[in-house]
Amino acid sequence: MVDVLPLVEARLNSALGEPDARASVTFLGADRIEVLRFQEGDVVRYATLGMSAHPMSDPTAMVADPIEGPRAELVLSVRAGVTDTGPVLRPLAVLAASPQVEGVIVAPGASLDVGKPLWPGAPFTSVLVGEPGGLVEDLELDAPLDPVRFLPLLPMTPNEAAWKRVHGAGALQERWLTHGTDLRDPNRASVPLGPSPE
């Protein structure tokens, strides 16, 4: 059985450079999750390493498939030097462990809620899972393994998360685009939310 994680780390390093810090978190009943920190200019990126060691399986399946199924890691980008976002490491590890611990499949368009601020004083308690392929390209694995997808996380304020539940991920992303929202600003306010655009 191929060890996926060294290949994943190599892909992250080739796309983002060498990490300047890393932390690991272990949860009961789950493998260790590492979070790597990369800084490029005024942007800090946090990437999980460990989520893709096993495929995500349908929570309704009687037995998890150890080979086939979607694999992913999570990437969060924030502006550096604005506030201390370092404590986001543990919430990210919690989200990355959720497929193993809770049997969920993390996919683009999903909302993930950690139930508390992503870091002290953060106006966000949840994230929207974005589309992969922009920052870090998918990592193809030998058949029958699914590729590893690197999913960007977009922090949402509670109001945005509530609006997204009603109107959908696409409508919220359209709002962000229309208003020129800086999704990397760790202190940003909620985007103006009114009726769903036609």
Side-chain angles (χ1 to χ4, degrees), residues 2-182:
V2 64
D3 187 356
V4 171
L5 297 185
L7 303 175
V8 171
E9 185 168 1
R11 173 57 56 90
L12 286 169
N13 290 353
S14 67
L16 305 178
E18 289 293 322
D20 59 11
R22 63 197 304 152
S24 63
V25 182
T26 305
F27 301 96
L28 190 65
D31 292 344
R32 183 181 68 176
I33 300 289
E34 287 194 278
V35 181
L36 312 184
R37 181 186 185 276
F38 304 85
Q39 182 154 358
E40 180 185 355
D42 67 344
V43 176
V44 176
R45 306 189 197 282
Y46 299 96
T48 64
L49 179 63
M51 182 178 172
S52 61
H54 305 284
M56 293 181 276
S57 57
D58 184 337
T60 62
M62 294 295 289
V63 179
D65 189 323
I67 305 294
E68 296 186 50
R71 295 174 189 258
E73 297 289 354
L74 309 175
V75 182
L76 173 70
S77 300
V78 291
R79 297 223 171 275
V82 180
T83 191
D84 179 15
T85 56
V88 78
L89 297 171
R90 185 166 181 84
L92 279 182
V94 169
L95 296 179
S98 61
Q100 287 186 69
V101 175
E102 300 173 26
V104 298
I105 293 180
V106 177
S111 300
L112 303 176
D113 197 324
V114 298
K116 60 182 182 180
L118 292 176
W119 53 84
F124 320 105
T125 59
S126 62
V127 293
L128 174 65
V129 182
E131 292 290 337
L135 187 62
V136 185
E137 288 185 13
D138 292 356
L139 173 64
E140 297 293 335
L141 301 173
D142 292 339
L145 302 184
D146 284 28
V148 177
R149 305 167 88 197
F150 298 87
L151 303 173
L153 299 182
L154 310 172
M156 293 188 292
T157 66
N159 284 347
E160 290 170 340
W163 199 85
K164 181 258 177 186
R165 279 194 294 276
V166 174
H167 300 290
L172 177 58
Q173 289 175 302
E174 189 63 36
R175 285 276 161 159
W176 284 337
L177 197 59
T178 300
H179 291 274
T181 305
D182 181 3

